Amino acid sequence: MRTSTNSTGSSDETTGAAETTATTETTATAGASRRGAAGVVGLAARIALPIVALLAILPFAQSYGEFWPWQPNTVDLDVYVYTGHVLLGGGDILTARTPDTALAFIYPPVAALLSVPLVFVPQTLLQLVWTVLNGLALLFVLHRAGLRGWTLSLLATACALVVEPVRATVSFGQINVFLMALVVADLVPGRRWMPRLRRRSHTDGGRSLPTGVLTGISAAIKVTPALFVVMLLFARRWREARTVVVTAVVITVATAVVMPRETIGFAKLLLSGDTRTGPAHFLMNQSMLGVVVRLFGYGGWQHYAGLALGAAAGIAGAYVAAVWWRRREQMLAVSLCGLATLLASPLSWTHHYVWVVPLGATVLVGSHLPRSLRWTGAVFVVWVAAAIFKYVLPWGSDVELSYAPWQQALSVLGPALGLALLAVAYATGRQVTPEPDRRPLADAAVR
C-alpha cells in the first residue's frame, strides 16, 4: 500500500509539473504574441507619423491647394504627367510646355519614358502614392544615417514640416528625395535593403545589384549625380566608378535607340546651357552660377566665370568627399558630394538641397567627428533648412539684379557656407588618419 501511495503521489507531482510547464509556456507564448503585436503597431506608428505630416501639409505648401477635399498643387508632378501624355501623343517633349503653368520638362529622355506610366494613374491617387513614397524614402535615408526608433520617426517628421528643401520637394511633386535615396542605398553601408534574389559571389557581398548600378540610374535620370563618379575615382573605387558609368551609358544608349531625336536634342540643349527654366540670377538658384550673376550681373564673362567656378567647386567637393570616404565615413562623403553637385549645377533651386537631410543626421549622430566640422555643418544645415532669405528678400521680375549690398550678401550666403563647409571638411579630413580598405564596397555594406 505504501508503494502504491508513493507511486500515485509521484504521478500527481509529475502531472502537476507538466501542467505548470504547459501553463508557463502558454503564458510566455501569449506574452510574446502581445509584444510582437505591440512591436508591429509601434513600427507602423513610427513609419506613419512623418507620412501623415507630409500628407497634411501638402495642400498648404503651395498656392491654390485645398485641404478638403484633399487637393494639393503638385506642379512638377503635373509636368511629368503632361510629358507622358505628350510622348504618347507623338509630340515633342523638348518644346512642350504645360498649359496652365508653361513649365518645360528638363530631364533626359529616359525620365520622360518613366513618366508614361503616371498617365494611367488618377491624379489624387498619384499624389497620395507619390507623397507616401517620398516619406518612405526620407525614412530610409535617415535610417541609413544611423537613426532608429522614435528618434528616426520624429526627426523625419521634423524634416517634413520645417526643412524647406524637403517640404518644397514633396509639395512640388519633385524627384529629389528619390534620387538621393538611390545614391544613399547604393553607396552608403548599411543593412541589406533589397531581398537577395540569388546567391552571389563573396566579392559582391551577397547583394542583388552591383554597387554603382543605382547611382548610374540616378545619373541617367538627372545628369548631376554623375559627379559621384568623380568622387569614386578620387577614392580609387575603380570598379564602382566603372559600374556607374556603364549603367548610365547603357540606359542612355538604349533610350537613344527608342528616342533618337529627343536624345540628340537634349544633348544639344545641355551643351548650349539652355536649361529651359528660370533665369540664373533668380533668388531660388543657390548654385555658384547664381552667386556670380547676382553679384556681378550679366555680361560677356560673368556667365562663363560662374560655370567655371561651379565646375571647380564640384571637383573640389568630390575630392573632399573622397578624403572622408577613405576614412570610412561614407555617409558624410556622399552628403558632401551631394552638396558639391548643387554648387556645380548651373541651376540648383532651394528644393534641390535635400542633401542637408543626411548631412544633418551625420552631424547629429557623428559625435566622433571633429567639432569644427560638426559646427560648420550644423550652421549650413540650419541656414538651408530655414531658407530665411526667401522670406526676407524680394524676388522675381529681375529684382535680384538690383539688390543692395546687404541683400546680395544674404542671397549668396548659402553657397558661401557650403564652400566653407567643404573647406573645413578638407582641413579636418587631412588631420584624420585614413584606414585602408581594399575590400569591395558591397562587402562593407552588409553588416
Side-chain angles (χ1 to χ4, degrees), residues 102-148:
L103 294 176
F105 186 81
I106 63 174
Y107 299 97
V110 62
L113 285 176
L114 295 176
S115 297
V116 171
L118 306 180
V119 171
F120 304 99
V121 183
Q123 183 184 33
T124 301
L125 177 61
L126 177 61
Q127 292 171 324
L128 176 65
V129 172
W130 195 270
T131 305
V132 170
L133 292 177
N134 266 283
L136 292 175
L138 180 65
L139 283 165
F140 167 78
V141 170
L142 289 172
H143 183 272
R144 184 57 59 92
L147 300 177
R148 302 290 185 268

Side-chain angles (χ1 to χ4, degrees), residues 10-305:
S10 176
S11 176
D12 292 342
E13 290 174 0
T14 302
T15 302
E19 291 176 350
T20 301
T21 301
T23 302
T24 302
E25 292 178 351
T26 302
T27 303
T29 301
S33 298
R34 286 193 295 271
R35 288 193 297 272
V40 171
V41 172
L43 176 62
R46 292 192 295 271
I47 293 174
L49 183 61
I51 293 175
V52 170
L54 286 174
L55 293 172
I57 69 168
L58 201 59
F60 304 107
Q62 300 298 330
S63 302
Y64 309 113
E66 295 181 9
F67 183 74
W68 191 260
W70 190 76
Q71 190 175 357
N73 183 30
T74 51
V75 292
D76 285 333
L77 184 56
D78 293 342
V79 174
Y80 306 155
V81 174
Y82 180 74
T83 302
H85 282 290
V86 172
L87 196 59
L88 289 176
D92 186 358
I93 62 171
L94 299 178
T95 60
R97 299 266 178 170
T98 53
D100 296 334
T101 55
L103 294 176
F105 186 81
I106 63 174
Y107 299 97
V110 62
L113 285 176
L114 295 176
S115 297
V116 171
L118 306 180
V119 171
F120 304 99
V121 183
Q123 183 184 33
T124 301
L125 177 61
L126 177 61
Q127 292 171 324
L128 176 65
V129 172
W130 195 270
T131 305
V132 170
L133 292 177
N134 266 283
L136 292 175
L138 180 65
L139 283 165
F140 167 78
V141 170
L142 289 172
H143 183 272
R144 184 57 59 92
L147 300 177
R148 302 290 185 268
W150 279 106
T151 301
L152 167 63
S153 178
L154 292 174
L155 283 178
T157 303
C159 288
L161 295 175
V162 302
V163 176
E164 194 275 345
V166 174
R167 190 175 66 244
T169 284
V170 179
S171 64
F172 284 131
Q174 264 279 353
I175 61 173
N176 306 312
V177 176
F178 297 144
L179 296 180
M180 176 178 65
L182 284 177
V183 175
V184 168
D186 195 25
L187 300 182
V188 179
R191 293 185 178 91
R192 185 181 292 109
W193 69 284
M194 294 177 64
R196 185 182 298 183
L197 301 179
R198 60 184 177 90
R199 179 178 290 276
R200 300 185 63 87
S201 66
H202 175 69
T203 57
D204 284 326
R207 288 174 56 125
S208 300
L209 290 173
T211 302
V213 169
L214 297 180
T215 304
I217 292 173
S218 65
I221 294 174
K222 185 176 182 179
V223 179
T224 50
L227 186 63
F228 286 97
V229 175
V230 181
M231 181 197 75
L232 291 170
L233 291 175
F234 279 136
R236 298 182 179 180
R237 307 301 305 197
W238 315 118
R239 190 181 68 173
E240 290 82 3
R242 182 173 63 249
T243 302
V244 175
V245 173
V246 170
T247 302
V249 169
V250 167
I251 292 174
T252 303
V253 171
T255 305
V257 172
V258 180
M259 307 171 63
R261 179 176 60 84
E262 290 83 356
T263 302
I264 295 173
F266 177 81
K268 290 181 178 178
L269 289 171
L270 188 65
L271 293 174
S272 68
D274 184 3
T275 59
R276 292 166 294 152
T277 57
H281 62 262
F282 188 47
L283 175 62
M284 305 310 164
N285 180 22
Q286 293 290 293
S287 69
M288 296 311 301
L289 176 60
V291 168
V292 171
V293 296
R294 279 197 295 273
L295 291 179
F296 303 104
Y298 285 104
W301 61 272
Q302 289 92 332
H303 184 80
Y304 297 105

Side-chain angles (χ1 to χ4, degrees), residues 245-411:
V245 173
V246 170
T247 302
V249 169
V250 167
I251 292 174
T252 303
V253 171
T255 305
V257 172
V258 180
M259 307 171 63
R261 179 176 60 84
E262 290 83 356
T263 302
I264 295 173
F266 177 81
K268 290 181 178 178
L269 289 171
L270 188 65
L271 293 174
S272 68
D274 184 3
T275 59
R276 292 166 294 152
T277 57
H281 62 262
F282 188 47
L283 175 62
M284 305 310 164
N285 180 22
Q286 293 290 293
S287 69
M288 296 311 301
L289 176 60
V291 168
V292 171
V293 296
R294 279 197 295 273
L295 291 179
F296 303 104
Y298 285 104
W301 61 272
Q302 289 92 332
H303 184 80
Y304 297 105
L307 292 176
L309 187 59
I315 295 173
Y319 180 79
V320 173
V323 169
W324 282 99
W325 181 283
R326 292 193 293 267
R327 285 144 183 80
R328 306 280 190 91
E329 295 289 346
Q330 281 92 347
M331 180 59 90
L332 176 59
V334 168
S335 299
L336 291 173
C337 192
L339 165 61
T341 66
L342 301 172
L343 297 175
S345 176
L347 292 177
S348 293
W349 306 131
T350 56
H351 57 269
H352 293 160
Y353 273 76
V354 292
W355 282 104
V356 296
V357 171
L359 178 61
T362 303
V363 170
L364 177 67
V365 303
S367 58
H368 61 287
L369 295 175
R371 182 176 299 179
S372 58
L373 176 60
R374 297 184 68 195
W375 276 104
T376 308
V379 171
F380 173 74
V381 168
V382 170
W383 175 259
V384 173
I388 298 174
F389 56 92
K390 288 182 60 176
Y391 311 102
V392 174
L393 300 177
W395 45 271
S397 302
D398 297 334
V399 68
E400 295 89 348
L401 297 177
S402 59
Y403 276 166
W406 73 269
Q407 292 174 314
Q408 288 180 328
L410 202 60
S411 75

